[in-house]
Amino acid sequence: MITCDEFLAEFGDYLENRVSPEVLKELELHLSQCRSCHVLYDSTRQTVQIVTDSGSFELPQNVSESMIDQVMAKLRAERA
Amino acid sequence: MSFLPEVDLGDEFQPFATLDEVRGSIPKLLRAQSLLPRVIEGHAILEKAVRLDRGVISREQKERILLCIAAARHDTYCAGLARNALRLLGEPDYRIDGLLDDHSRIDLPVVEVALLDFCLKTALHSLSVSSSDIERLHQHGIADEAIIEAAVTAALAIYRCTLSVGLHPEPDGEPWKLPPTREGSLPEPAAHISTRKRPQAGPYVRAPYLSPQRFAPFEKVANSHGFIPNFFRAQTLRPDLLSAEVELVTLVLLPEDVLTRTQKETILLAVSAANLNSYCVAIHCNLLRGLGVSADEGEQIALDHHRSSLPDADKALLDFAIKLGSKFPEFSLDDVTRLRAVGFADQQILECEVVTALNNFANALQMGLGIEHDFEPPLAFEQKKANLCAALDRRTTEDSSISSVTVQVEDSDAELTAQAQAGSLDAFEELMRRHSRLVYRALAAILGDPDQAQDAMQDVMLSAYEHVAGFQARSKFSTWLLSIARNKAIEYLRKRKNEISLDEAPFREDQVFRPRELRAWVDNPEQAYSRLEIQQLIEKGIMALPAKYRIVVMLRDIEQLPIEETARQLDLSVPTVKVRLLRGRLMLREWLAPHFAAGSRRAAQ
């Protein structure tokens, strides 16, 4: 079985589904045997999910609308 | 006379001794590289591993592959080289002549004919190799180990032939003439290249996992390239051949005593592009970014280096390499003379030829084995390639049409952009509404301050309006807009005198990150919190990340851009983005763990 360091070396690609079938087999075997890597994988996957679903850094609709309105008013005034 | 001068290295020179099977039989092709002994060393290592060391395929069989490929390229020198080797192995002349006449008509076993056909296709029409070719070999009972060895032999043939065109060595032994070869026995490339993005799904052969910690060549590649390309991962069934290839790459590409690494990477990029090899274009665009060449410049070199901002001498160098690597029948001594005239020394010309040969080795092998992409190739290049293939299909193969193919990236904003460029304020306004979120997030990430991001946004929009007329549709509008946002944010940071660097650390990111918090998380941890609480938690966590991780996480996980797009936006290589993304995610994980781990205050309720 591969070591934890070898698992970590492929971990980023694994989260992104970018590993070959042969590597995938090794990683999944490791995960089934190693508790700490399993916890790491599971919680990192959840982290990505939570971050993605959080809708963070959403500029409130009214703020962005009024900002665009301001800029456009300025540009239209220059044009006129 | 050979095109480049030689120096006497003596027959005791180690790489010569390796190949000197019969005293005094060192090929002139190797002697012709004597201005740069390290490249001879690399070449000798490859020859030894592929040809002389015991493999799965017999030596005779491999020499026959080398002979047939050289003959098909009308390369008298290389055909003579393989012919001499076959005669030494006891092959009678009538069989050699028969082989040159038509290999399917002499009494070769069916299996060998199949392998030979595969090699010819890999070497001469690599774009048309597909999984069905490999299936046919499997049906003949040929093992993957042998298929790799055959493909590497075909690639070696191309390596030799490229060098023989560039160096023009004297024949070895008595003069001999190549009989006129039969034409038309191989499929025309255009008939097989479809305009589909990936005509064939690789990989074609098994590639068991090989650990970089236990296989030294992989460690070497990880250090020099920042990652292990699939090109190498796909050949793990043959560590012997892999080791030789890595040594060759190390000896040819890494030293900077003659040409710089950047010059060599541009040669690899430009010649791969001329050979329409998307895999290699993608990889060299990324490696160039790692060397500080912007994404735009790299893509321009792939599309048409004449329009890049390279110095004129380097453009001439690329003209030379492209002719040698991709239009070799036109290559002559005049090309060497021209490079000398723009100031290149013979040693540099030699290295350029060797890099071109290495490129063609890699291009052929990648296509032959159907090695899967590491990264998406640049969109603009893929579209140019599709146009070219379509043009080839229509048989309008005038060279001029090739360089004048206009490239425009498909973009759902294209129509609005055109209107905005023509002066429509309404169109411009709509574009701003579409992308304000993206711009805001990028600004917030780089500035590390959502309030300041709002201030900067106005500047970005004004600047975009000012420059929109000059926007060229070689990239997407959003990409262009984001680059304005990025520059604006960096300008703000300079004003704050809070210098940060988003730059690339050459090929080596920080060491492995050690997770600290290893308690398991509860199921559906976010259910214990309100949406607003989660948002605040995430925003705080992301803002606490170092800038170089923050921007990558923001673009990939919040804005959900693909990794390739994130890398392009930031002028970083994909491997660098991957390392930073993982690091950022792991840091966020540590930040969230106290809230979501089993036994933590709220999650436990």
Side-chain angles (χ1 to χ4, degrees), chain B residues 125-335:
Chain B
H125 297 304
S126 64
L127 282 169
S128 63
V129 178
S130 72
S131 53
S132 56
D133 293 298
I134 308 290
E135 273 163 32
R136 212 164 299 134
L137 298 180
H138 285 153
Q139 280 161 12
H140 282 292
I142 301 172
D144 285 345
E145 288 84 349
I147 294 174
I148 295 174
E149 189 169 325
V152 176
T153 307
L156 170 65
I158 290 302
Y159 187 83
R160 286 173 162 198
C161 288
T162 306
L163 284 175
S164 121
V165 172
L167 294 167
H168 196 68
E170 305 266 324
D172 297 305
E174 82 228 50
W176 166 78
K177 215 164 165 281
L178 191 63
T181 37
R182 294 165 312 124
E183 304 283 350
S185 61
L186 283 165
E188 281 291 311
H192 288 259
I193 315 166
S194 91
T195 46
R196 274 173 298 151
K197 205 169 166 197
R198 301 272 169 79
Q200 77 288 41
Y204 305 145
V205 294
R206 282 178 301 121
Y209 173 76
L210 199 55
S211 162
Q213 289 166 25
R214 282 174 256 176
F215 183 59
F218 271 5
E219 201 192 350
K220 221 175 193 172
V221 173
N223 282 328
S224 61
H225 286 63
F227 72 111
I228 302 163
N230 286 341
F231 181 82
F232 295 117
R233 288 180 186 252
Q235 300 179 64
T236 49
L237 276 177
R238 296 301 303 270
D240 54 333
L241 300 175
L242 256 179
S243 302
E245 290 168 31
V246 171
E247 292 224 44
L248 175 67
V249 167
T250 307
L251 285 161
V252 173
L253 293 187
L254 301 193
E256 301 215 62
D257 50 346
V258 180
L259 295 174
T260 63
R261 175 92 190 262
T262 306
Q263 280 175 314
K264 289 188 253 192
E265 284 294 336
T266 51
I267 293 169
L268 294 165
L269 174 58
V271 183
S272 293
N275 288 336
L276 301 182
N277 188 303
S278 305
Y279 175 94
C280 294
V281 165
I283 217 165
H284 297 300
C285 272
N286 270 281
L287 289 172
L288 273 172
R289 265 184 242 167
L291 292 162
V293 175
S294 74
D296 278 343
E297 174 78 348
E299 287 172 21
Q300 185 59 64
I301 292 169
L303 290 175
D304 178 5
H305 64 274
H306 292 117
R307 287 197 236 168
S308 72
S309 48
L310 287 173
D312 284 345
D314 282 352
K315 286 180 187 166
L317 190 70
L318 295 187
D319 285 335
F320 176 93
I322 287 170
K323 202 181 223 187
L324 176 63
S326 191
K327 301 176 193 163
F328 65 91
E330 300 166 24
F331 188 90
S332 72
L333 181 60
D334 293 345
D335 295 295

